[in-house]
Amino acid sequence: MSRVPFYVLVGTLLAIGIVLTAFRYFHYDVPFTPGEQRQVWEVEAQINFDADNGPVRVDLALPANQPGFRLLTENTASSGYGLSYLRDDNARHAQWAIRQANGPQQLYYSAQFLVTDGEEAFLAEPPPLQRDIAWARPYDTAAREVIDQAHARSADAFTFTRELIKAFTDQRQGENARLLLSQYERPVLLTRLLNQADVHARIVSGLTLEDGRRRQALTSWLQVFENDKWVLINPRTGEQGKPENLLLWEAKGNAVLEVQGGSDSRVSFSMLRHNEPASVAVRNQFADDTLLNFSIHSLPIEEQALFKTILLIPIGALVVVLLRVLVGLETSGTFMPVLIALAFIQTTLLTGLVGFLLVVAVGLVIRSYLSRLNLLLVARVSAVIITVIAIISVFSVMAYRFGLNAGLTITFFPMIILSWTIERMSILWEEEGPKEVLKQGFGSLLTAVLAYLAMNNPWVRHITFNFLGVQLILMAVILLLGNYTGYRLLELRRFQPLAKDD
């Protein structure tokens, strides 16, 4: 029978598992290592204005995801105001409205931003050129001379912008530059000059992030375009490029704050930097993205805690398959060691080993007495189950009386599995002798300990919980191991005499 469908199935599982895992890592920024911290900025915008005793509408431009920053959460505080989040021409803004307001007013907007590597592309459409630029005399002549001088010293739109800025610095400022600055603000003036020179440019507003700063204002930056590229240029210094701590608050050239029905409006910003676990930051970032971000995090906390343990079972199953198929270790029951390993996770390893040995040892003694009564199988196993429950109850009470609180965790052992283990070991004792019982008992205990060490590893627990694609990879590996038909490691002892003869 052809094995091609089998290998196609295994390859498909591996491919899907790897793609899902890589997608969660690269697209959703889920870390592979546990305990990783991510830097988060909390920014608060405070809007102040005086209402004119009538209807009021306030529009505040809002930042979007951009290189270096991703929006996690946003909240507002606006007593009595209606609030809507609007999007116009790919620009977001918050709009507050109220029918009647009078006197000083305060509105608040706060947002959390996750600091990212900042390598993703940030596409922006160039603004249209302003063709109707009008200069009063003698400003038209001064603008033309400044443009001609900068144009002769530049090679493209970016170097041309830098030369323009240099013309308005203190060191190189001439009469034309001083004349123009007396009439126009520097960012507005530079934008007019760039548009007159057929360079697409606009003013964007950015917030310089500094930990613990309060009542900060936005700064103006020039966004200059040429072909499919754009750069940010500081209109005060001519420095090119976006600083790492610059958050673009408004990147479309629109007004940051508009107030209708009020006067003396202003907006100031406060900011605070803190670190939080990467898993929390990612969960907040994609809390509503449930279709693509298919993960356990979308479940309630109680179910998440349950699945955090359940998703470890395939790791234990892989350990059992490795030890039984490749090593040839015998166990009492195929996957009984996995369930015992789960109990060890709840009880700690030392407490679990002592409890397991005590329960099995006492259970075997009582089971040997039940075998003399010649009971039917169902009745005998039921009696063993009741016996195991009684043993666990007695040990728990004794541990509590002696102040050994760790002994109370023995109740986490799977009682039905323990009962069947005792039953199988007892039958094996009668048929094969105590040597075989010790052999399989040691194999089961060793497998359970190794499975516990693998399942309780913080790195493994993190990976299995945050990357569901790993489950498909584990299945593919187990299917490949199930196709193994060679010698087991412990079977090689049969060839030891041949090695001595050589």
Side-chain angles (χ1 to χ4, degrees), residues 44-83:
E44 180 184 81
Q46 179 180 336
I47 303 171
N48 294 275
F49 64 95
D50 294 325
D52 297 336
N53 194 23
V56 174
R57 192 176 74 180
V58 179
D59 287 271
L60 175 67
L62 301 182
N65 294 333
Q66 55 193 272
F69 300 96
R70 285 184 182 174
L71 179 65
L72 294 181
T73 61
E74 53 186 355
N75 299 284
T76 61
S78 50
S79 178
Y81 282 80
L83 173 66

Side-chain angles (χ1 to χ4, degrees), residues 409-422:
T409 57
I410 196 175
T411 55
F412 287 105
F413 278 109
M415 299 178 186
I416 303 299
I417 300 299
L418 283 179
S419 302
W420 274 107
T421 300
I422 293 172

Side-chain angles (χ1 to χ4, degrees), residues 202-395:
R202 63 184 165 206
I203 301 173
V204 297
S205 300
L207 180 65
T208 303
L209 299 177
E210 297 180 30
D211 189 23
R213 299 298 298 269
R214 301 171 60 243
R215 299 176 182 175
Q216 298 299 298
L218 297 176
T219 56
S220 298
W221 291 73
L222 295 178
Q223 189 178 33
V224 182
F225 296 80
E226 184 174 60
N227 299 327
D228 295 332
K229 294 179 57 179
W230 65 267
V231 297
L232 282 182
I233 299 180
N234 190 326
R236 294 163 296 279
T237 65
E239 294 181 1
Q240 180 175 316
K242 178 178 177 291
E244 292 184 358
N245 64 336
L246 181 68
L247 173 66
L248 291 181
W249 194 270
E250 199 291 311
K252 296 296 181 181
N254 301 322
V256 174
L257 177 64
E258 292 183 336
V259 177
Q260 298 181 19
S263 59
D264 194 21
S265 61
R266 58 199 178 278
V267 58
S268 61
F269 298 84
S270 302
M271 61 211 72
L272 189 66
R273 181 181 60 192
H274 61 88
N275 294 326
E276 64 181 33
S279 58
V280 176
V282 172
R283 185 163 58 248
N284 291 335
Q285 179 183 358
F286 299 103
D288 299 327
D289 196 358
T290 56
L291 180 61
L292 294 177
N293 186 25
F294 185 77
S295 71
I296 303 300
H297 296 107
S298 59
L299 297 176
I301 298 297
E302 184 177 357
E303 280 69 22
Q304 287 187 40
L306 176 62
F307 272 97
K308 197 166 189 177
T309 301
I310 291 176
L311 292 174
L312 293 173
I313 294 179
I315 298 294
L318 178 61
V319 173
V320 172
V321 172
L322 287 171
L323 293 178
R324 288 182 67 100
V325 174
L326 298 184
V327 180
L329 202 63
E330 296 184 20
T331 61
S332 178
T334 306
F335 290 102
M336 180 271 288
V338 178
L339 300 178
I340 300 301
L342 285 175
F344 287 168
I345 292 176
Q346 304 294 331
T347 64
T348 71
L349 183 59
L350 181 59
T351 303
L353 284 173
V354 174
F356 177 78
L357 292 174
L358 285 175
V359 172
V360 172
V362 176
L364 285 174
V365 172
I366 297 177
R367 170 61 178 77
S368 64
Y369 170 75
L370 293 176
S371 63
R372 300 177 185 176
L373 302 179
N374 295 325
L375 300 176
L376 296 175
L377 175 63
V378 176
R380 187 171 67 243
V381 173
S382 300
V384 173
I385 292 174
I386 297 174
T387 301
V388 169
I389 295 175
I391 295 171
I392 291 177
S393 301
V394 171
F395 284 162

Side-chain angles (χ1 to χ4, degrees), residues 20 45 71 127 170 181 185 209 218 239 242 256 300 396 428 482-483:
L20 289 177
L71 179 65
D170 294 336
L181 285 175
E185 294 183 359
L209 299 177
L218 297 176
E239 294 181 1
K242 178 178 177 291
V256 174
S396 298
L428 189 64
N483 200 37

